[in-house]
């Protein structure tokens, strides 16, 4: 995972995050219980923030752990959140937890992704989603690319315009919240893929379904749920999400159970 590029000075970085959260210097000062003058001095470089001040401002601005490290470094301070890969021994409990969740969702598809939508794990039932996907897309699988790329799932998604609008809107919000250059590049790539983008025809719609035709011509309808580690402090764990695709009707549920039974997968 490549670190998000941040401005060179803490003052510029702080102003960037403040503006991203649409707060004035006075708003930030009130929420952080400091003077607006002090916030101004920090942004202009006239005052150097302490570690406690950096973390307090980051907390108010809801800055993710990885980016908090970048803020600390920009302020000339050591980072406080360890940045490790998921295969690090220290994250064994996280890996085990992810695997348990993936297995528990069988016979329904479930994937674990990092903040850039790269797939880090998947259960056996996910194969139903990947029927017909070009092998090249599976070498370094990215959930967004697998879904919307014309060589991926896109040709088999019956409501592609609706699902595309849903995914790109979700990614746009993540770009705004995180300021990640990687996510911004992924958004630009996704928007370049051919395909319609339409909102739900019914504003009273409760959930956006995924309507997917299998290689055998069956129509499966899913609703998705996303799970995260709510108490994670490690950047890698905090950025993990687990997305499950649950059957939206009895036909889909029965089909998935039958497929699982025929393949000998656990239920």
């Amino acid at each position: 995972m490549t670190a998000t590029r941040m401005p060179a000075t803490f003052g510029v970085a702080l102003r960037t995050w403040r503006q991203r959260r649409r707060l004035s210097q006075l708003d930030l000062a009130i929420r952080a219980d400091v003077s607006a003058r002090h916030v101004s001095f920090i942004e202009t470089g006239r005052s150097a923030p302490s570690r406690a001040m950096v973390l307090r401002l980051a907390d108010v601005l809801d800055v993710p752990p990885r980016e908090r490290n970048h803020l600390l470094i920009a302020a000339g301070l050591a980072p406080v959140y360890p940045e490790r890969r998921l295969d690090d021994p220290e994250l064994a409990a996280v890996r085990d937890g992810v695997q348990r969740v993936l297995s528990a969702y069988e016979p329904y598809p479930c994937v674990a992704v990092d903040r850039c939508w790269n797939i880090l794990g998947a259960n056996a039932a996910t194969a139903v989603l990947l029927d017909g996907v070009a092998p090249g897309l599976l070498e370094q699988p990215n959930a967004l690319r697998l879904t919307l790329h014309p060589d991926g799932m896109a040709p088999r998604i019956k409501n592609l315009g609706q699902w595309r609008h849903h995914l790109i809107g979700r990614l746009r919000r993540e770009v705004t919240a995180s300021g990640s250059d990687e996510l911004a590049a992924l958004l630009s790539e996704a928007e370049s893929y051919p395909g319609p983008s339409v909102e739900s025809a019914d504003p009273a719609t409760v959930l956006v379904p995924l309507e997917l035709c299998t290689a055998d011509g069956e129509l499966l309808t899913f609703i998705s749920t996303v799970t995260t580690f709510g108490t994670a402090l490690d950047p890698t764990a905090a950025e993990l999400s687990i997305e499950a695709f649950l059957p939206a009707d009895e036909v889909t549920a029965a089909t998935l159970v039958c497929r699982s039974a025929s393949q000998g997968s656990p239920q």
Side-chain angles (χ1 to χ4, degrees), residues 151-165:
D151 293 332
M153 294 165 53
R156 295 188 293 114
I157 299 177
K158 183 179 178 182
N159 62 332
L160 178 59
Q162 189 182 42
W163 192 249
R164 185 175 187 271
H165 176 83

Side-chain angles (χ1 to χ4, degrees), residues 6-23:
M6 291 296 293
T9 67
F10 178 79
V12 173
L14 177 63
R15 182 165 60 251
T16 298
W17 278 103
R18 177 176 60 76
Q19 293 173 342
R20 185 173 291 138
R21 298 298 185 245
R22 299 184 179 182
L23 296 177

Side-chain angles (χ1 to χ4, degrees), residues 117 142 144-145 147-150 160-161 163-176 181-197:
W117 298 50
N142 178 278
L144 191 77
R145 200 170 287 124
T147 305
L148 299 183
H149 194 284
L160 178 59
W163 192 249
R164 185 175 187 271
H165 176 83
H166 162 67
L167 287 188
I168 289 180
R170 175 173 152 191
L171 179 54
R172 243 187 230 115
R173 291 190 294 274
E174 292 177 3
V175 170
T176 299
D181 291 336
E182 290 173 291
L183 283 180
L186 184 61
L187 174 60
S188 178
E189 178 185 337
E191 291 176 327
S192 73
Y193 295 154
S197 183

